Every structure is written in C-alpha cells, then in structure tokens.
Amino acid sequence: MKYKNPDENGYYGAFGGAFIPEMLYPNVEELQNSYIAIIESEDFQQEYQDLLKNYVGRATPLYFAKNLSKKYNTQIYLKREDLNHTGAHKINNALGQVLLAKRLGKKRIIAETGAGQHGVATATACALLGLECIVYMGEVDIKRQAPNVARMNMLGAKVVPSTSGSKTLKDAVNEALRDWISNPVTTHYVIGSVVGPHPFPDLVARFQSIISQEIREQLYEQTGNRNPDYVIACVGGGSNAAGTFYHFVEEENVKLIAAEAGGLGIDSGKTAATTFLGTLGVLHGSKSLVMQTADGQVIEPHSISAGLDYPGIGPFHAHLFNEKRAEFFSITDEEALQSAFALTRSEGIIPALESAHALAVLDQKTFKPDEVIVICLSGRGDKDMETYLKKIQDMDQELSGQL
Ligand SMILES: *Cc1c(COP(=O)(O)O)cnc(C)c1O
C-alpha cells in the first residue's frame, strides 16, 4: 500500500507522468532532479517554516464546531485554512515554490490563475521575496474577478490576458507554458494545484501537507488521538485535499472523502464532477481523469465556485478514486450554497464557496455520534459575497412570492 508519493517517473498507479513538449525537458528535469533535496534541506525548511509561522499565521486553528456537531449529531472539527494570509490554503504552496525558485537562481515567476486566488497568492510571495511576477489569466476571468486583478496589480504583478479559446483557465495555462518554453533559464512556473507534469503534483502536495501534519498534532492535543475517523475536503485540482489527506493516506482506519463540484448536476452538461464523468486522458502535462468528448476535446466545466471550475483532477486523487481509497461525492451549486449559509448561521464563519462543497457532505452521509470528522475549510468567503448576496435576494423574493 503506497499512495502518498509517486514513483520515480511521477506515477500514482496509472496516473501522472510528465507529458510535455521537448523544449520544456530542461526546466522540468531540473526540477525533478532537485526539488526534494532543496525543500528537505535544513536551510530551506528554516526559512519556509519561519514564514509560515510569522507571515502566513500558521498553525491555523483546528476548531471543534460545537453547534454544527450538535446539528449533525457527530464530532466535527474545522481546519481553519481560511485564516491564512490571503484567505486560503494557496499561500502555503505559492510561498514554497517561490522560495524554491530563488534557490534555483530564477529571477522571474509566471503563474496562471482562474478565479485569481492563486494569482494573488503568487503575487504576494513575489512581492515579499522580490521576484518579478507575471500572471496569465483568461480575458473572461479578468472581467469576472476584478477585485483579485486589482490586488495582483497593487502587489506589483503583471496580469496578462489570454485571448485565445474560451478565454478562461485552460487557455491561461497554455499561455503560461508557452512563456516557460521561451524563457527556460530565468523563469519558474508556479503551478497552483496538484496538477501538471511530474514533479508538480508531488511538490505541491508536500507544501500543502502542513495541513494534515498540524491536524494530527492538534487533534492529539484536543482528543488524545492523532487519527480522526474521517477527513473531508473539496477538490478542484486537489491541492487542499492532498494536503488534508497526506499524513492520513497510509492510515487505513482514517477514511478519506473528497467533494467535487457537481454544478447544476452530473447529467446537466454544466458540471465539474471529474471522477464521475472523466475518462483517462492527458491534461496540462499529466495523465489523469479528464472531462472530454469521445475524440479528446476538453469539455468546458461549470461550477458556482471558480476554484473548483476545472475539467481535470490531480493524478494523486485519480489514483485514490481508482483504488477506492477515497470516497467521492458530487455536490451541486445549490447544495454548496445551502451549506455555506448553514455554517455561517450556526458557527459565525462565512466559508469560501469551494469549502462549502466539503461541508455539504454532512447532508449526504450519516456519521455516528462518537465519530470524529475533520473538514478542511480551505478558504474564506469574502470573495464570494456577490454570489451570496444574490442568493439572499433570491430567497427574499421567493419568500415574498409566497406571502
Ligand atoms: C483554489 C481553491 C480551491 C480549489 O483548489 P484545490 O487545488 O483543489 O485545493 C479550494 N478552495 C479554495 C478556497 C480555493 O481558493
């Protein structure tokens, strides 16, 4: 039983690898050959851990949600990644990779972003550590995510619109890859989730593994036991879930649950439920489950949460799904919205819409009263207020229609 790390070619079972144009070999090989030695070095760890503590604000609390536990008649703990600097788990990875890039002598950072969260985290790390930052973003997303574009600009990053294809995330990834091919020596590409060619899925999982490392320590302090019965996380590409699962994946008595974005429903044609609908394919440099047509065209995904709006899933998760090591749920937009309001009203915490998908599993499955459930609250809901406000207005209208 070995799930945690890929083999030397970057495979998790049948998934992973590095499917890249030949011109990227030097960059990717440089990373493959050096990443573990660098990030495990004492010098790197000292700087990284210091920043996580004093800059990001780690350790994030593991909070026993008393009201929610009562409501569902089970023991629910929330891992508060929403309390990190910049509002989500993404900074754990962005800081780690920018530090790594510095150690590799890189002067220039590129990244792609959909909703802008990863772009903001990367721009933040670059401002702090003094590297040039270029963020590729679909033209459509630039219009949809104006506040995050403003943040990136203020942080000194250059936001470059992708104007090809559907003008969204997958087009931004293609442009970032093109840039990397043109600037192989000076540039590091900070990928934002456990996707991309080997070693990115493993690299990002290692940086996010701080989440489950802390959960084990904090759960031990609070309950005398390091292992919960369940850990639950939402999955876009899969980085917060990989971090939440990492130190539990070889612990057979800990059950893993992943929540995917079902959008308007699996059969609606507007969904991002990759494990339910995906087939084996290559997307952004690795072999995994991909939502695609019979002739291999990527299907445009849909989710109410921009962070889960991705047509693939990292190879680590495809393997967990295939081996039935993790149980996958598809959560609709409406179910996620309901759970976001339920958490807000019961605990006074406004979650990111992405994280609300993980919370929605509580309505899909019954847990025993003495079971311990840890849910990763991957981010805060500030960025989603417009969507939440619209929901409130819809509910008000429905109510006045009934009167
Ligand atoms: C980006 C994002 C996600 C989805 O990305 P993963 O790589 O699957 O973790 C989830 N939650 C929040 C708050 C995000 O910003």
Side-chain angles (χ1 to χ4, degrees), residues 376-393:
C376 182
L377 206 67
S378 55
R380 66 177 87 123
D382 308 32
K383 67 185 179 56
D384 298 311
M385 284 317 295
E386 209 175 305
T387 310
Y388 290 150
L389 270 175
K390 187 169 172 303
K391 178 68 184 169
I392 292 172
Q393 284 160 359

Side-chain angles (χ1 to χ4, degrees), residues 205-371:
R206 284 169 190 258
F207 285 137
Q208 295 294 359
S209 71
I210 183 79
I211 299 173
S212 48
Q213 187 186 315
E214 288 176 4
I215 291 172
R216 298 199 83 195
E217 290 162 12
Q218 293 166 323
L219 203 61
Y220 182 71
E221 276 169 29
Q222 294 181 41
T223 69
N225 203 336
R226 283 193 165 74
N227 286 350
D229 294 289
Y230 290 88
V231 285
I232 305 178
C234 67
V235 175
S239 69
N240 86 89
T244 304
F245 294 171
Y246 198 85
H247 291 286
F248 297 117
V249 72
E250 312 294 353
E251 303 280 322
E252 275 174 65
N253 56 348
V254 182
K255 298 175 203 74
L256 315 176
I257 294 180
E260 283 188 323
L264 301 184
I266 291 179
D267 302 320
S268 67
K270 293 187 89 64
T271 180
T274 312
T275 56
F276 291 88
L277 298 174
T279 50
L280 194 64
V282 171
L283 180 66
H284 300 144
S286 74
K287 197 188 275 184
S288 192
L289 294 170
V290 182
M291 296 204 314
Q292 55 190 336
T293 59
D295 58 355
Q297 297 291 329
V298 172
I299 296 170
E300 200 63 32
H302 163 83
S303 167
I304 194 170
S305 67
L308 303 185
D309 205 349
Y310 185 67
I313 187 173
F316 171 72
H317 296 292
H319 184 49
L320 296 182
F321 174 75
N322 215 32
E323 297 290 310
K324 300 189 167 61
R325 174 65 186 93
E327 186 179 4
F328 281 69
F329 285 87
S330 164
I331 304 297
T332 65
D333 291 352
E334 182 58 31
E335 288 162 346
L337 277 170
Q338 296 295 344
S339 292
F341 278 91
L343 180 73
T344 304
R345 297 288 161 87
S346 69
E347 298 287 349
I349 299 170
I350 302 178
L353 263 167
E354 291 85 359
S355 322
H357 286 71
L359 293 161
V361 170
L362 293 169
D363 291 317
Q364 306 270 324
K365 190 176 173 85
T366 309
F367 300 98
K368 298 194 184 105
D370 61 347
E371 281 180 327

Side-chain angles (χ1 to χ4, degrees), residues 66-123:
K66 198 162 121 215
N67 300 327
L68 209 60
S69 297
K70 202 164 164 195
K71 181 174 166 196
Y72 289 98
N73 194 26
T74 190
Q75 312 298 314
I76 302 167
Y77 291 80
L78 303 176
K79 181 58 175 162
R80 300 288 311 273
E81 292 301 296
D82 59 315
L83 294 177
N84 284 324
H85 180 44
T86 70
H89 64 292
K90 288 201 170 75
I91 191 78
N92 302 330
N93 168 53
L95 260 184
Q97 281 201 51
V98 174
L99 279 177
L100 171 65
K102 275 193 97 159
R103 295 238 178 349
L104 289 170
K106 308 293 179 184
K107 306 270 179 277
R108 188 171 169 271
I109 295 294
I110 57 173
E112 87 297 330
T113 195
Q117 297 297 107
H118 173 57
V120 168
T122 306

